[in-house]
Amino acid sequence: MEFEIICGSPAKQPAGCVVAGVFEEGKLSAAAELLDSAAKKFLTGIVRRGDMNGKAGASLLLHEVPGIAAERVLLVGLGKQREFGAKEYRTAVGAAVRRLGDAGAKDAALYLTELSVGKRDVAWNVRQATLAAQDALYRFDKLKSKKEEQRRRLAKLCFAVARRTDKATAEAALAEGVAIAAGMELARDLGNLPGNICTPSYLADQARQLGKAHRLGVDVLDRADMEKLGMNTLLSVARGSHEPPKFIVLRYNGGGSAKPVVLVGKGITFDSGGISLKPGLEMDEMKYDMSGAGSVLGTLKAAALMKLPLNVVGVIPSTENMPGGSATKPGDVVTSMSGQTVEILNTDAEGRLILCDALTYVQRFEPDCVVDIATLTGACVIALGHVATGLLANDDELALELLAAGDDAQDRAWRLPLWDDYREQLKSNFADMANIGGRPAGTITAACFLSRFAEAYRWGHLDIAGTAWRSGQEKGATGRPVPLLSHFLIARARRASKAAGRKRK
Ligand code: BES
Ligand code: MN
Ligand code: ZN
């Protein structure tokens, strides 16, 4: 999809379709008003006759509206004006783009971007519209022998801004939106690919390709390298599988000699549970257990496309978790790369076992901060559902940064406590710690486990078990939390360049 920022009268846009909003109270948005007066109250008549009720997500496509240059007018319901906020805005853009996808228009001028959404600015409107549009257009038919009929003719979307002086800001925001959307798409595709295709080796190939396309440094460690480093908890997970494990490192260097942000993504390409085998129902969904890894690749892609003036290192420990003959058994004790010993009481708590060695490994980058992203616990789905990502951190400032980034991106997280009081649950009679802490507070005890390997730096942990994919009819990967992470990096880049500006003065 091609995107462009435009400015000017909606009535005079020579587009295949011009899109404007209507509130549920029957009130036309400013752009719809302009169309209405150019069309001699044509739209007022439609609303009065009840053909457009303005309900959120409703749409009405009109042809050859008198006085309007565009071939079509698409009216989109915005819901009640009083309640119009970020969520309603995204719903409206999504509904508009879906409707356009079925229509014959080749291009469209969206005036929804001119709406005021709370206290959000033009940049926010444009970024969110780009993400909502890409989300609405996403299809995953790579594995169908007959591709979904390509009925869609829509090739170009123009976002309108009200003032000419906003155009430059909007164009910069559009570029960010396009970059983030590309990162999300990568994360989604990888999440949707099944375990027999998206293996650890496949992820390593994807990393190499990304590296080539965007000039990232890429290293892939094999089993032998990991043995040398003493990554025994990671390797203990890989023992039950025939697929070779990979430890992937990507380096994006946009920030000179600054300390890097390190992103660590859980890359379990299939989680059967191992010897502590999962029940059969919906086990297929455990192909998404590499979504943390996918979001690291996606975010690095976005960062590179945006040319952020930062250094970012992506680290992906990747393996399958299978119950083969050599698999780790409940009760086995292994020595992690950090030297701490772990009693593996449940082989299904494997995410923390691969992440802990990665958290030890990343010390070598002398990180400014480390954020890991993992589909870590079913308990997080119980606690926060599919709405918020779980956030735990050993540093308040970093936690606030991540929360703010999530709010801004409409990809929200919610913080849970990481108090010492929970550590007791991980006590083991036979090793330094156990890999599970019982049923209570499962998300927190998992993070407590990780925190023992992250004491050398500022660290945040995102549990995306509930947010990385949807189950049910609309089953599939969501691309979250690429928007959160991208906004986190954008905000840091802004602060870094401001600080550099001050120094120069
Ligand atoms: N990948 C799962 C977590 C998960 C479960 C993600 C459901 C999405 C939906 C993880 O490896 C796991 O199995 N966790 C266990 C931990 C338990 C054994 C302490 C869980 O949550 O049941
Ligand atoms: Mn598991
Ligand atoms: Zn898992």
Side-chain angles (χ1 to χ4, degrees):
M1 184 67 52
E2 195 190 329
F3 292 98
E4 197 182 311
I5 301 294
I6 54 168
C7 191
S9 152
K12 293 189 190 130
Q13 285 301 329
C17 186
V18 54
V19 183
V22 180
F23 291 103
E24 204 173 317
E25 295 87 348
K27 185 170 180 292
L28 302 179
S29 62
E33 288 275 10
L34 291 174
L35 291 171
D36 192 44
S37 49
K40 304 217 165 66
K41 303 281 169 201
F42 192 85
L43 303 184
T44 306
I46 283 172
V47 170
R48 187 165 27 83
R49 285 189 291 271
D51 291 320
M52 179 56 187
N53 58 20
K55 283 216 169 32
S59 64
L60 179 67
L61 187 67
L62 305 163
H63 292 261
E64 295 180 45
V65 177
I68 306 296
E71 291 165 9
R72 304 169 187 75
V73 172
L74 178 64
L75 295 180
V76 181
L78 303 173
K80 298 205 172 79
Q81 190 165 21
R82 269 180 296 110
E83 292 164 9
F84 188 72
K87 188 162 165 266
E88 290 73 19
Y89 176 70
R90 286 199 57 147
T91 307
V93 175
V97 173
R98 257 183 288 271
R99 186 70 192 81
L100 288 168
D102 300 330
K106 286 199 201 72
D107 67 325
L110 252 88
Y111 278 78
L112 301 175
T113 37
E114 286 189 3
L115 292 163
S116 62
V117 189
K119 293 204 161 60
R120 315 283 190 170
D121 56 15
V122 176
W124 185 92
N125 277 16
V126 170
R127 239 185 279 122
Q128 286 295 321
T130 317
L131 294 183
Q134 291 289 40
D135 186 59
L137 295 168
Y138 181 81
R139 295 277 175 288
F140 185 80
D141 57 7
K142 288 187 172 49
L143 303 178
K144 304 217 185 207
S145 56
K146 291 198 189 76
K147 304 293 164 214
E148 244 172 66
E149 205 186 330
Q150 266 299 341
R151 284 211 303 137
R152 186 180 358 117
R153 297 218 279 162
L154 186 68
K156 185 172 168 190
L157 275 174
C158 302
F159 296 138
V161 295
R163 286 181 298 268
R164 205 154 288 282
T165 48
D166 283 338
K167 223 177 154 201
T169 318
E171 272 160 5
L174 176 63
E176 288 175 351
V178 168
I180 298 168
M184 279 180 87
E185 189 177 349
L186 175 61
R188 274 178 110 167
D189 282 349
L190 290 172
N192 285 329
L193 282 172
N196 64 326
I197 296 175
C198 184
T199 59
S201 307
Y202 185 91
L203 284 179
D205 283 344
Q206 289 291 307
R208 289 192 193 99
Q209 277 181 30
L210 197 63
K212 252 202 210 122
H214 300 283
R215 306 238 248 115
L216 312 176
V218 177
D219 291 311
V220 177
L221 310 190
D222 292 323
R223 194 194 299 268
D225 305 315
M226 291 184 248
E227 276 166 2
K228 266 186 226 130
L229 286 163
M231 295 181 159
N232 298 313
T233 51
L234 197 172
L235 291 169
S236 77
V237 178
R239 290 179 61 92
S241 163
H242 291 300
E243 282 295 335
K246 302 285 171 187
F247 191 92
I248 307 163
V249 181
L250 302 102
R251 276 168 279 107
Y252 166 71
N253 201 294
S257 58
K259 286 186 169 183
V261 174
V262 177
L263 303 176
V264 179
K266 172 177 173 182
I268 296 288
T269 56
F270 188 75
D271 181 10
S272 71
I275 296 296
S276 315
L277 195 65
K278 285 184 181 294
L281 190 72
E282 294 176 346
M283 203 207 267
D284 63 292
E285 297 193 348
M286 284 301 126
K287 70 174 181 179
Y288 300 115
D289 212 18
M290 38 52 66
S291 296
S295 72
V296 169
L297 292 172
T299 303
L300 275 156
K301 180 170 187 175
L305 285 170
M306 290 186 280
K307 300 197 169 65
L308 293 181
L310 290 176
N311 293 330
V312 187
V313 179
V315 172
I316 296 171
S318 182
T319 171
E320 282 185 336
N321 184 24
M322 296 290 279
S326 316
T328 293
K329 305 166 289 298
D332 286 1
V333 174
V334 291
T335 304
S336 67
M337 185 179 173
S338 73
Q340 302 178 88
T341 58
V342 179
E343 183 187 14
I344 300 175
L345 287 175
N346 188 323
T347 63
D348 197 11
E350 85 297 341
R352 60 199 80 180
L353 297 176
I354 68 168
L355 290 169
C356 70
D357 279 343
L359 290 174
T360 302
Y361 180 87
V362 302
Q363 283 183 25
R364 70 187 56 208
F365 300 118
E366 294 180 20
D368 179 82
C369 64
V370 178
V371 179
D372 80 69
I373 308 102
T375 46
L376 204 61
T377 62
C380 194
V381 190
I382 303 300
L384 300 171
H386 301 282
V387 178
T389 290
L391 164 67
L392 297 102
N394 67 9
D395 182 273
D396 290 341
E397 215 177 301
L398 178 60
L400 289 176
E401 262 184 83
L402 289 163
L403 287 172
D407 278 342
D408 200 27
Q410 283 296 292
D411 178 12
R412 289 180 296 184
W414 192 258
R415 193 177 183 189
L416 299 170
L418 192 66
W419 297 322
D420 279 345
D421 311 51
Y422 292 99
R423 281 206 177 190
E424 283 174 30
Q425 288 176 239
L426 293 171
K427 274 198 179 137
S428 159
N429 288 355
F430 305 104
D432 295 343
M433 67 193 100
N435 78 325
I436 52 169
R439 303 239 312 151
T443 303
I444 300 176
T445 54
C448 269
F449 180 95
L450 295 177
S451 73
R452 294 201 179 185
F453 301 84
E455 281 170 0
Y457 42 72
R458 308 197 305 141
W459 164 77
H461 160 67
L462 296 169
D463 193 330
I464 55 168
T467 49
W469 77 83
R470 279 186 281 263
S471 358
Q473 281 239 302
E474 299 266 294
K475 187 190 279 208
T478 59
R480 291 179 70 183
V482 171
L484 182 158
L485 293 168
S486 302
H487 278 74
F488 169 70
L489 294 179
I490 292 171
R492 286 193 148 230
R494 289 228 171 91
R495 264 184 288 139
S497 37
K498 255 191 210 151
R502 272 200 301 278
K503 242 186 227 161
R504 252 177 266 126
K505 278 177 208 159

